[in-house]
Amino acid sequence: MTQDRQVAVVTGAAQGFGQAISIGLAKRGIDVVAVDLSDCTETLTQVQALGVRGVGIVADVSDPGVSERIEKLLNDEFGRCDILVNNAGIFPTKSITELDYALWQKVHRINLDSQFLMVKGVLPFMTKSGYGRIVNLTSNSLGLTATGLSHYMSSKAGVIGFTRGLATDLAEFGITVNAVGPTASLTAGGKSHIDIKLIEEVAKMQAIKRPGTSEDIVGTVMFLSSEQCAWVTGQTIMADGGLVRL
Ligand SMILES: NC(=O)c1ccc[n+]([C@@H]2O[C@H](COP(=O)([O-])OP(=O)(O)OC[C@H]3O[C@@H](n4cnc5c(N)ncnc54)[C@H](O)[C@@H]3O)[C@@H](O)[C@H]2O)c1
């Protein structure tokens, strides 16, 4: 028997945006499957405290075997999947003069290929039920002149292209697909991988002049992953304090 409560899969859920999104979904009464390379205990504890189920899976979202693992977990534990948030990503800064092919490929595998692999894992449930919401994380850096990000920007531009194509293919199944682009933010990863001075400089260019936090992305993802988001698909929303205008 299929359970009544909705189920969401969130990648990169151990910290940062992924953790805040998982908690936001749990507050809406949605069960959460937290996927990450790292242990998600901290996220799961907060999710479970909100009265829903939280299940973790330690997995590399760029590993081709991840699709099958996610499908099996969903089948064994829930029998359904309503929401996928493709949030996991890395953002190493490297000028093109120092960038090697290995890092180029790694960034594309984790930031872009993973989104394809995760979609493959959840799709059987969404096409069967005739309902789904897919939200892919891109970045507002695509509209900026930040240096050392050619590999990152290429992968995040790919996310927007993937989102547009997928939205068309999946419309007939009642599935909407959208992307959300944060600004340079004080997430766990942002604090350790982005120069704080750069985050402050970017904040000064935003309409809302303070650095973004993990929580600032949640409202947009909540809308894009909700039943209300039935007529919006293939779109990218920059949730970035009003910096980049599409
Ligand atoms: N923080 C920012 O300034 C910023 C700005 C724009 C876009 N983004 C995007 O938002 C997303 C989340 O960023 P964040 O700041 O929360 O990052 P973060 O580093 O705080 O968290 C990312 C999480 O993803 C996990 N992860 C990384 N590689 C993985 C893999 N191969 N398999 C499974 N899990 C993996 C990490 O373990 C980590 O828990 C990323 O896609 C990032 O590109 C971030």
Side-chain angles (χ1 to χ4, degrees), residues 145-196:
T145 53
T147 53
L149 288 180
S150 62
H151 49 321
Y152 180 72
M153 288 166 71
S154 166
S155 71
K156 292 298 188 181
V159 167
I160 295 176
F162 181 52
T163 299
R164 291 178 182 176
L166 204 57
T168 309
D169 283 4
L170 296 182
E172 66 175 295
F173 301 105
I175 303 169
T176 62
V177 188
N178 293 286
V180 55
T183 191
S185 301
L186 297 171
T187 61
K191 281 186 227 169
S192 48
H193 297 299
I194 309 175
D195 186 347
I196 183 70

Side-chain angles (χ1 to χ4, degrees), residues 12 14-18 35-38 59-62 87-91 110 137-140 152 156 182-185 187-190 194:
Q15 62 179 35
F17 290 136
V35 189
D36 206 295
L37 275 179
S38 308
D60 178 349
V61 289
S62 68
N87 162 78
I90 55 170
F91 30 96
I110 296 176
L137 269 282
T138 180
S139 165
N140 81 339
Y152 180 72
K156 292 298 188 181
T183 191
S185 301
T187 61
I194 309 175

Side-chain angles (χ1 to χ4, degrees), residues 28-114:
R28 261 172 52 202
I30 295 169
D31 289 348
V32 175
V33 176
V35 189
D36 206 295
L37 275 179
S38 308
D39 179 77
C40 284
T41 302
E42 196 184 302
T43 303
L44 293 171
T45 303
Q46 296 193 60
V47 161
Q48 287 154 0
L50 291 159
V52 295
R53 272 191 83 196
V55 173
I57 174 167
V58 174
D60 178 349
V61 289
S62 68
D63 174 356
V66 80
S67 314
E68 210 172 307
R69 285 186 69 195
I70 292 298
E71 186 178 345
K72 184 171 181 338
L73 182 145
L74 287 167
N75 213 27
D76 293 350
E77 298 285 339
F78 300 98
R80 68 184 286 172
C81 182
D82 306 275
I83 297 165
L84 168 64
V85 183
N86 271 320
N87 162 78
I90 55 170
F91 30 96
T93 310
K94 193 75 86 174
S95 171
I96 190 68
T97 53
E98 285 161 17
L99 184 67
D100 61 24
Y101 189 44
L103 184 58
W104 169 273
Q105 285 187 308
K106 183 179 179 188
V107 166
H108 282 80
R109 272 202 308 274
I110 296 176
N111 291 0
L112 179 58
D113 297 5
S114 69

